C-alpha cells in the first residue's frame, strides 16, 4: 500500500523501482508499501483519452450554459426583462444544477452503470435545451433553464466521477482536468457564438445559440452506448471477467498483464471490504438508511475527505472567478473603463484566458501534484486581487487621469484568471471525485459538487451589492479568500497525485484510531487472501532478475 505519512507527497518517496513485465514499473518501498505506474503518456493510450474526452462533454454543457447567457440577455431581439427576471434566469440554472447533482448522488449507484446515469442526465439537459430554444415567453425560458440545469448539475458530478473511475493513477489528474477544459471550452463557445449571432434581426439571434447546445447533449447521450462501464462498479457487482476485459482495454494492455491484474486485485480488495463492513452503506433501502449514509460523510472516518471536497469547491467559487465572468463588464466599468470593446475584452477574454491556462495544468497536474498547483495559484490569485483593490482605492475616484493604473488593473485581472485557470479551476474538478472510497464516492462527489453550485449562487447573489458599495472591498474580500485557501491547501490537503483510488485511505487516515487500525488489518488480510501481495512480490522478483 503506498503510504504517505501526514501530508508528504508520494512522488518524493524513494523506493526500489523495478520494470514490470510488459511495460511500466512497480515501486517497492522500505515501509512495505508499493505503487505501480503504467508509464503511459496522455496520448499513448488513445482509447482512454477518447473515452475521457467523450465523458467530459458533460462539462461542455455546463460551461456553454454559463457563457451563452451573457450575450443572450442583452440582445435586442430577446424578451424585455425586468432586473429580477434577469436575476431569476441566472439563478434558476444554478439552483437546478444544485438539485441535479444531489439527485445524481442519490441515484448514481442505484442505476447500476455510470453511463445509464449520464444518459439520464443528458435527457434532462436536452429537454431543457429544447424548451429554451423554442421559448415563447420568459416563463418558458425559466422552466427550460431549470430543467436543463438539473441535467447540467447531474453531469457536473457524474463526468468527473466516471473519469476518476476509468483513469490509471498516474494519469488521473490529467484526464479529470479534461472536465475543466470542456467547461471553459463551453464558456468560450457559448460566449462567442452568441456574440456572432447577436446581430441577426430576428429571434434566431438567441434561438440559434440556445439550440446549438443540443448538439453536444446528443453526442454525449448517444455516446453513452460506447462508454465502457466503470470497471470498479463491475467488480463490486461481481462481474470480474468483464471488469478485467474492460480494464485491459482501458489500459491498452492484455488481460494477463501484471499491472492490470494488480489494479484489478486492488478493486477486488475494495469491493470485498465494502461487502464485509458496510452492507447498508453501499445500498441503503430506506430513507433513514440513505440519510445515515450521507451523514456518514461527516463521521470520523470520512470527514477529512468530505471537507477537502466541499472546501475545494467553496474556495474555487470564492476566488471570485464567476464575479469576473458574470459581472466582468460592470466590474471593468467600475474601474473606469467603458464601451463595448472592453466588455468583450473582459467577458470573452476571461474565458479564453481560462482555456489557455488549463493546458499546462493538464500537462503537469500528475507530475507536480495537486497541492503545488493550488498553493502557487492561491498566492498569485490573492496578490492580484489585493493589488487591484489597492489600485481602486488609490485611483478609483479619478481613473481618467490614471490610465496606467486602470490598464494595470485589467492586466491583473488577467493574471488572476491565468493563475486560477491553472490551479483552482481544474483541481476542483479532480480532488473531490478522487478522494472518496467506492462506497461513498457518488454521495461525496455529489456533496462537493453541490458546494460548487451553492457557492456559485451565493457569490452571484452578493457580488452586485458589494460591487455597488465598494469595488475595492469586493476585490479585497476575494483576496482574503485566496489567502485563506493558500493556508488550507498547505495544511489541510494531502497530495493525491499518483495514488490509486483504492489507496486513498492511506493518505487521509493516519491509522491512529482503533477502528482505523482494525480496518487496515482487515484490508491487509483481504489483500493476502486475494493474492495481491503474492503478485507484487512475484513482479518485483521477476523485475529484479530481469535487471541483473
Ligand atoms: O471550473 C469552472 C470554470 O472555471 C467556470 O468558468 C466557472 O464558471 C465555474 O463556476 C467553475 O466551476
Amino acid at each position: 500500500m503506498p503510504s504517505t505519512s501526514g501530508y508528504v507527497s508520494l512522488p518524493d518517496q524513494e523506493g526500489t523501482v523495478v520494470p514490470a513485465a510488459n511495460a511500466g514499473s512497480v515501486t517497492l518501498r522500505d515501509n512495505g508499501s508499493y505503487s505501480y505506474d503504467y508509464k503511459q503518456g496522455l496520448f499513448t493510450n488513445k482509447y482512454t483519452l477518447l473515452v475521457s474526452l467523450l465523458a467530459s462533454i458533460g462539462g461542455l454543457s455546463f460551461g456553454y450554459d454559463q457563457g451563452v447567457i451573457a450575450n443572450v440577455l442583452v440582445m435586442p431581439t430577446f424578451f424585455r426583462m425586468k432586473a429580477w427576471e434577469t436575476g431569476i434566469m441566472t439563478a434558476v440554472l444554478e439552483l437546478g444544477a444544485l438539485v441535479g447533482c444531489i439527485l445524481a448522488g442519490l441515484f448514481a449507484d442505484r442505476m447500476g452503470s455510470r453511463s445509464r446515469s449520464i444518459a439520464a442526465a443528458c435527457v434532462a439537459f436536452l429537454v431543457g435545451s429544447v424548451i429554451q430554444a423554442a421559448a415563447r415567453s420568459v416563463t418558458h425560458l425559466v422552466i427550460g433553464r431549470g430543467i436543463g440545469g438539473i441535467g447540467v448539475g447531474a453531469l457536473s458530478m457524474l463526468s468527473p466521477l466516471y473519469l476518476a473511475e476509468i483513469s490509471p493513477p498516474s494519469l488521473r489528474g490529467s484526464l479529470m482536468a479534461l472536465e475543466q477544459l470542456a467547461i471553459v471550452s463551453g464558456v468560450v463557445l457559448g460566449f462567442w457564438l452568441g456574440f456572432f449571432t447577436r446581430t441577426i434581426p430576428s429571434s434566431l439571434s438567441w434561438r440559434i445559440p440556445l439550440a446549438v447546445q443540443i448538439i453536444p447533449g446528443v453526442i454525449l447521450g448517444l455516446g453513452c452506448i460506447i462508454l465502457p462501464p466503470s470497471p470498479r462498479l463491475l467488480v463490486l457487482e461481481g462481474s470480474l471477467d468483464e471488469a478485467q476485459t474492460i480494464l485491459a482495454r482501458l489500459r491498452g494492455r492484455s488481460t494477463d498483464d501484471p499491472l492490470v491484474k494488480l489494479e484489478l486485485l486492488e478493486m477486488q480488495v475494495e469491493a470485498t471490504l465494502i461487502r464485509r463492513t458496510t452492507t447498508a452503506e453501499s445500498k441503503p433501502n430506506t430513507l433513514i438508511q440513505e440519510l445515515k449514509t450521507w451523514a456518514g460523510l461527516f463521521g470520523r472516518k470520512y470527514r477529512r475527505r468530505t471537507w477537502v471536497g466541499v472546501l475545494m469547491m467553496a474556495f474555487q467559487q470564492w476566488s471570485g472567478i464567476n464575479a469576473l465572468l458574470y459581472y466582468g463588464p460592470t466590474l471593468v466599468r467600475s474601474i473606469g473603463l467603458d464601451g463595448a470593446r472592453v466588455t468583450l475584452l473582459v467577458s470573452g477574454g476571461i474565458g479564453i484566458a481560462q482555456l489557455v491556462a488549463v493546458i499546462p495544468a493538464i500537462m503537469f497536474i500528475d507530475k507536480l501534484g495537486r497541492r503545488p498547483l493550488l498553493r502557487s495559484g492561491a498566492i498569485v490569485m490573492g496578490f492580484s486581487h489585493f493589488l487591484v483593490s489597492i489600485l481602486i482605492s488609490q485611483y478609483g475616484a479619478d481613473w481618467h487621469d490614471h490610465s496606467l493604473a486602470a490598464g494595470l488593473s485589467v492586466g491583473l485581472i488577467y493574471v488572476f484568471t491565468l493563475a486560477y485557470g491553472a490551479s483552482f479551476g481544474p483541481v476542483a474538478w479532480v480532488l473531490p471525485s478522487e478522494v472518496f472510497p467506492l462506497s461513498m464516492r457518488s454521495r461525496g462527489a455529489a456533496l462537493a459538487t453541490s458546494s460548487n453550485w451553492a457557492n456559485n449562487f451565493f457569490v452571484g447573489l452578493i457580488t452586485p451589492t458589494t460591487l455597488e458599495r465598494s469595488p475595492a472591498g469586493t476585490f479585497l474580500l476575494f483576496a482574503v479568500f485566496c489567502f485563506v485557501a493558500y493556508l488550507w491547501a498547505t495544511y489541510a490537503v494531502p497530495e493525491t497525485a499518483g495514488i490509486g483510488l483504492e489507496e486513498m485511505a492511506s493518505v487521509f487516515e493516519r491509522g491512529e484510531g482503533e477502528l482505523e487500525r482494525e480496518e487496515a488489518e482487515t484490508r491487509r488480510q483481504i489483500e493476502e487472501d486475494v493474492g495481491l501481495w503474492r503478485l507484487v512480490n512475484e513482479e518485483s522478483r521477476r523485475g529484479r532478475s530481469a535487471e541483473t
Side-chain angles (χ1 to χ4, degrees):
M1 206 188 326
S3 81
T4 50
S5 54
Y7 298 142
V8 181
S9 76
L10 241 197
D12 294 342
Q13 292 203 347
E14 297 283 311
T16 315
V17 185
V18 293
N22 291 342
S25 63
V26 177
T27 304
L28 291 146
R29 301 198 180 78
D30 295 341
N31 61 7
S33 69
Y34 75 88
S35 63
Y36 55 87
D37 188 347
Y38 286 93
K39 291 258 182 319
Q40 290 177 334
L42 193 54
F43 297 100
T44 329
N45 189 341
K46 304 247 170 5
Y47 177 66
T48 306
L49 180 62
L50 242 129
V51 166
S52 305
L53 282 171
L54 183 60
S56 71
I57 290 182
L60 194 82
S61 66
F62 163 8
Y64 190 91
D65 257 337
Q66 295 206 329
V68 81
I69 203 70
N71 271 315
V72 164
L73 284 176
V74 295
M75 287 180 188
T77 51
F78 195 61
F79 303 102
R80 289 290 112 236
M81 290 200 293
K82 303 191 182 67
W84 63 270
E85 287 175 317
T86 313
I88 288 185
M89 278 277 291
T90 321
V92 76
L93 179 97
E94 282 145 25
L95 294 179
L98 186 66
V99 173
C101 65
I102 299 278
L103 282 179
L106 278 171
F107 293 106
D109 291 348
R110 289 189 170 84
M111 292 189 84
S113 88
R114 301 284 186 232
S115 50
R116 216 170 292 150
S117 316
I118 296 179
C122 282
V123 171
F125 175 70
L126 286 171
V127 170
S129 306
V130 170
I131 298 179
Q132 287 178 63
R136 304 224 154 265
S137 67
V138 175
T139 314
H140 291 166
L141 270 170
V142 170
I143 295 173
R145 271 178 79 79
I147 298 177
I150 295 180
V152 165
L155 287 173
S156 70
M157 170 270 176
L158 291 167
S159 294
L161 184 83
Y162 177 74
L163 290 170
E165 290 185 346
I166 59 159
S167 306
S170 54
L171 279 183
R172 195 176 56 236
S174 299
L175 291 172
M176 292 181 77
L178 291 178
E179 171 76 8
Q180 171 74 355
L181 176 71
I183 296 173
V184 294
S185 304
V187 170
V188 171
L189 271 173
F191 183 87
W192 289 102
L193 188 66
F195 176 74
F196 288 120
T197 59
R198 80 191 195 291
T199 46
I200 299 177
S202 70
S203 68
L204 283 179
S205 58
W206 56 269
R207 289 191 199 277
I208 293 177
L210 288 182
V212 163
Q213 57 186 346
I214 294 173
I215 302 171
V218 169
I219 296 179
L220 179 58
L222 292 178
C224 287
I225 301 169
I226 55 165
L227 282 184
S230 156
R232 289 176 158 87
L233 279 194
L234 287 175
V235 171
L236 190 64
E237 285 159 10
S239 313
L240 276 184
D241 290 342
E242 195 186 345
Q244 187 161 9
T245 315
I246 303 274
L247 188 65
R249 195 147 166 234
L250 283 166
R251 302 292 174 262
R253 302 274 174 97
S254 65
T255 44
D256 56 6
D257 179 271
L259 296 191
V260 169
K261 281 196 199 155
L262 195 56
E263 201 178 348
L264 194 76
L265 285 177
E266 287 182 342
M267 294 177 196
Q268 271 176 262
V269 172
E270 182 79 17
T272 315
L273 206 62
I274 292 178
R275 273 188 226 112
R276 276 204 204 160
T277 53
T278 48
T279 24
E281 197 180 73
S282 50
K283 277 208 168 97
N285 292 320
T286 63
L287 183 67
I288 302 284
Q289 278 173 356
E290 183 67 47
L291 288 176
K292 267 194 183 161
T293 314
W294 285 80
L297 286 170
F298 289 97
R300 244 195 89 226
K301 196 161 168 209
Y302 300 122
R303 66 177 165 232
R304 286 190 57 217
R305 313 185 200 209
T306 307
W307 281 118
V308 163
V310 169
L311 290 177
M312 175 72 252
M313 290 303 200
F315 281 124
Q316 188 208 51
Q317 292 301 312
W318 286 97
S319 70
I321 182 67
N322 286 320
L324 298 191
L325 268 181
Y326 301 157
Y327 304 104
T330 326
L331 245 164
V332 169
R333 244 172 266 138
S334 76
I335 53 177
L337 303 165
D338 221 332
R341 279 193 51 223
V342 171
T343 310
L344 263 184
L345 217 83
V346 176
S347 298
I350 283 174
I352 294 179
Q354 283 202 70
L355 189 59
V356 171
V358 72
I359 309 288
I362 292 176
M363 285 161 63
F364 298 115
I365 189 166
D366 288 310
K367 290 189 191 75
L368 294 176
R370 287 54 163 156
R371 293 180 74 225
L373 293 186
L374 289 178
R375 295 178 65 207
S376 49
I379 287 290
V380 178
M381 285 152 57
F383 275 110
S384 316
H385 277 334
F386 184 60
L387 290 176
V388 174
S389 157
I390 293 183
L391 287 170
I392 297 177
S393 63
Q394 290 300 308
Y395 306 108
D398 185 13
W399 283 114
H400 288 288
D401 283 345
H402 299 99
S403 52
L404 186 69
L408 200 63
S409 302
V410 175
L412 283 165
I413 289 181
Y414 274 94
V415 171
F416 162 85
T417 310
L418 289 172
Y420 164 90
S423 59
F424 279 71
V427 180
W429 295 105
V430 174
L431 261 185
S433 297
E434 68 178 5
V435 293
F436 293 100
L438 184 56
S439 59
M440 300 301 265
R441 190 169 298 133
S442 54
R443 292 173 187 86
L447 194 74
T449 314
S450 65
S451 154
N452 183 294
W453 290 107
N455 284 294
N456 189 332
F457 175 74
F458 285 123
V459 174
L461 201 67
I462 69 147
T463 309
T465 319
T466 56
L467 268 182
E468 205 175 79
R469 294 219 177 133
S470 163
T474 309
F475 277 93
L476 191 64
L477 176 76
F478 292 137
V480 169
F481 272 108
C482 291
F483 291 131
V484 177
Y486 169 81
L487 295 177
W488 168 77
T490 306
Y491 297 109
V493 182
E495 182 56 68
T496 50
I499 295 177
L501 287 186
E502 282 69 29
E503 306 301 330
M504 284 297 164
S506 64
V507 206
F508 281 93
E509 292 164 21
R510 290 183 172 141
E512 289 152 357
E514 183 65 24
L515 234 118
E516 282 174 19
R517 263 198 301 274
E518 249 174 49
E519 192 172 308
E521 197 54 41
T522 318
R523 177 181 281 271
R524 185 80 186 193
Q525 190 54 51
I526 301 173
E527 286 174 355
E528 290 289 352
D529 294 348
V530 297
L532 186 141
W533 286 101
R534 201 175 44 242
L535 183 65
V536 171
N537 291 330
E538 261 171 35
E539 262 317 283
S540 70
R541 261 198 306 277
R542 203 205 37 72
R544 279 202 185 102
S545 59
E547 271 182 330
T548 49

